[in-house]
Amino acid sequence: MTNSTTPRRRVLVVGLGISGIATAIRLHKLGWEPVLIERAPERRKGGYFIGLFGTGKASARRLGVLDSLVDRNSPRMMTYEIDRAHHRTRGMSFVDAPGAPLPLLRGDVENSLFSALPKDVEIRFATVPTRIEQDAQGADVTLTHTKSGTSTTERFELVVGADGMRSTVRRLVFGPHEDFLHPLNYMIAACVLRNPVPGYATHEGLVLAEAGRSAWVFPFANHNPTVLFSYRVEDVDAQFRGRPIDSLRKAYGPEEAGSVLSQLLNEFETADEYLFDSTNHVRMPSWHKGRVVLVGDSAWCLTLYSGMGVSTGLAGGELLGNMLETYPDDLERALTRWEEKLRPFIEDTQRGSLKSRAFFTPANEAQRVVRAVSIRLMSNRLTGPIVRKVMRDKDLKAKTIDIVAQ
């Protein structure tokens, strides 16, 4: 515990996203002095659909942000399974999954966390680490401003890399991306819809699931819907050689798109902001080295198919603070215990994401048929409760576990 005469230990947190802000809040409460840096020139306030499961809810509550989150659910919400010929049947949305996930926009979580940051936490935008050198007592980090090009070298007792799937901290300290990124050979694209989908109310979601590709529209209370495209590819690099919309149109052709899919593709083409990226797991033998530790997507990247990226980002940051509090004078032991407690849960969830991927985007016709039958069974008044119980007891049970409290 610090007091007025005890110097606060400096920690550099790289990345002003959910994992980074959560970690900064927890370590500040513990008595550390966080410095948050972000590559972007300003806060990125946008975001797309996420579900917050029990793991994330528990950490959000203890971090003091759960009650400030905007609940985007509505009793009127429903989801339809559709095809290109305008046939539709009652479906199952992501928020219907066992574990009662709280439907949110990613920006909802980031906004609540940012508001909870203590006012004395220093934030520097347009700033990236370009060199990290360690010794037994600390880490010297060269910080470079992306606009001016000016650099300074500063001393920290701990460096937290929370800068995403293609983490700069990971590359500088642990090695090149290709050593840790494991492609799943799927692409995702997303944007906020500016116009309603013809024939559907704003509280109605829809899913077009075909062999190797899918399109999801997520409805929200008090916000425009978002669309998520997900499709399987053999050559990931080829998807980035042209415009994202061209890759999308090719992936969802050559068949006639139909009115709904046509509008969704047009909305993506004209969107002011969008997401277009490949999906990858990050797998590492260790998430820490010396005085550098990785949190969230930088360390494990569960992908959106798991539904657990935000929840584990919150829990990982909180648990890191707990271990540093438990072992205040032994950083190596604190980081080792943190990883020992967290890794089994993360690895199990990462494996589970490969099963969940078939629900989002069936890889082939066989998976599509199995998915369609499962959806019909889950939507049925008689068989639905039985199927949901099986799912609750098996594949989705981990999503309700409070790993920090274990």
Side-chain angles (χ1 to χ4, degrees):
M1 182 65 69
T2 61
N3 55 48
S4 58
T5 61
T6 303
R8 291 165 62 88
R9 294 167 291 180
R10 297 186 82 212
V11 51
L12 177 68
V13 181
V14 183
L16 193 63
I18 289 170
S19 299
I21 304 175
T23 301
I25 290 172
R26 180 65 184 93
L27 295 191
H28 183 277
K29 184 178 181 180
L30 189 57
W32 289 69
E33 179 185 346
V35 176
L36 269 164
I37 65 170
E38 167 60 42
R39 176 184 295 274
E42 59 186 10
R43 280 192 64 212
R44 292 171 287 196
K45 300 180 182 178
Y48 312 105
F49 173 85
I50 62 107
L52 194 64
F53 283 88
T55 301
K57 292 177 188 177
S59 288
R61 182 181 297 110
R62 288 188 291 265
L63 290 168
V65 301
L66 182 64
D67 291 341
S68 65
L69 292 176
V70 179
D71 186 350
R72 299 290 182 179
N73 203 358
S74 166
R76 301 176 62 205
M77 285 184 184
M78 64 177 65
T79 295
Y80 293 100
E81 295 283 321
I82 69 168
D83 62 22
R84 302 190 189 207
H86 310 295
H87 301 127
R88 72 180 190 180
T89 58
R90 185 66 183 268
M92 176 182 169
S93 74
F94 186 78
V95 297
D96 294 325
L102 182 66
L104 300 164
L105 291 156
R106 188 177 186 88
D108 293 335
V109 184
E110 290 187 353
N111 289 339
S112 292
L113 286 168
F114 190 81
S115 297
L117 266 178
K119 301 304 180 185
D120 61 338
V121 172
E122 182 181 358
I123 301 173
R124 305 180 196 174
F125 291 99
T127 303
V128 296
T130 51
R131 184 183 65 88
I132 300 176
E133 298 289 341
Q134 303 186 64
D135 56 39
Q137 285 72 45
D140 294 314
V141 184
T142 300
L143 304 174
T144 300
H145 195 272
T146 59
K147 290 186 175 180
S148 67
T150 58
S151 297
T152 61
T153 297
E154 300 181 30
R155 184 84 167 166
F156 299 92
E157 290 193 42
L158 179 65
V159 176
V160 178
D163 49 341
M165 181 174 68
R166 297 180 182 86
S167 166
T168 298
V169 174
R170 189 183 66 228
R171 177 177 57 80
L172 290 173
V173 176
F174 295 85
H177 296 320
E178 52 266 28
D179 288 353
F180 309 110
L181 286 181
H182 293 259
L184 301 187
N185 288 94
Y186 280 73
M187 299 293 296
I188 55 171
C191 72
V192 176
L193 299 180
R194 290 180 290 186
N195 302 294
V197 179
Y200 294 87
T202 55
H203 64 273
E204 294 176 329
L206 56 93
V207 183
L208 171 69
E210 301 175 336
R213 56 197 181 187
S214 65
W216 291 63
V217 172
F218 297 103
F220 301 96
N222 305 314
H223 194 278
N224 284 9
T226 64
V227 60
L228 168 69
F229 299 97
S230 169
Y231 62 96
R232 192 169 185 269
V233 295
E234 295 299 328
D235 186 351
V236 171
D237 292 339
Q239 303 302 304
F240 296 103
R241 292 186 187 128
R243 297 188 308 159
I245 185 58
D246 294 334
S247 294
L248 275 176
R249 292 191 186 280
K250 183 177 180 180
Y252 287 81
E255 302 91 337
E256 284 290 329
S259 60
V260 171
L261 183 56
S262 289
Q263 181 187 336
L264 298 180
L265 291 168
N266 290 339
E267 289 262 358
F268 182 86
E269 183 173 15
T270 58
D272 294 328
E273 295 183 358
Y274 62 83
L275 167 70
F276 182 76
D277 207 349
S278 58
T279 60
N280 303 270
H281 279 161
V282 173
R283 300 174 195 158
M284 305 182 67
S286 178
W287 298 328
H288 71 279
K289 179 183 289 188
R291 291 182 172 268
V292 178
V293 60
L294 304 174
V295 179
D297 284 352
S298 303
W300 49 76
C301 193
L302 302 174
T303 76
L304 61 84
Y305 303 121
S306 75
M308 289 293 289
V310 171
S311 293
T312 55
L314 290 168
E318 184 197 4
L319 182 61
L320 176 62
N322 292 356
M323 293 299 97
L324 290 170
E325 184 175 28
T326 302
Y327 306 103
D329 301 317
D330 192 340
L331 181 65
E332 175 59 29
R333 189 177 182 189
L335 297 182
T336 298
R337 287 292 296 130
W338 169 78
E339 189 163 336
E340 288 173 350
K341 287 175 70 68
L342 192 58
R343 183 174 284 276
F345 179 84
I346 293 295
E347 291 183 346
D348 183 64
T349 305
Q350 200 170 61
R351 287 189 295 269
S353 71
L354 299 177
K355 298 179 183 178
S356 301
R357 183 180 59 190
F359 174 70
F360 273 94
T361 310
N364 49 48
E365 184 62 16
Q367 283 192 7
R368 187 200 67 78
V369 171
V370 170
R371 180 188 182 279
V373 171
S374 299
I375 292 293
R376 283 198 294 271
L377 290 173
M378 286 186 284
S379 301
N380 184 278
R381 181 173 58 87
L382 297 177
T383 59
I386 299 173
V387 177
R388 291 168 193 260
K389 185 179 187 305
V390 172
M391 292 177 63
R392 183 182 299 113
D393 291 344
K394 293 183 178 181
D395 292 342
L396 296 178
K397 181 179 178 182
K399 294 185 177 181
T400 65
I401 292 175
D402 181 359
I403 52 179
V404 177
Q406 286 183 308

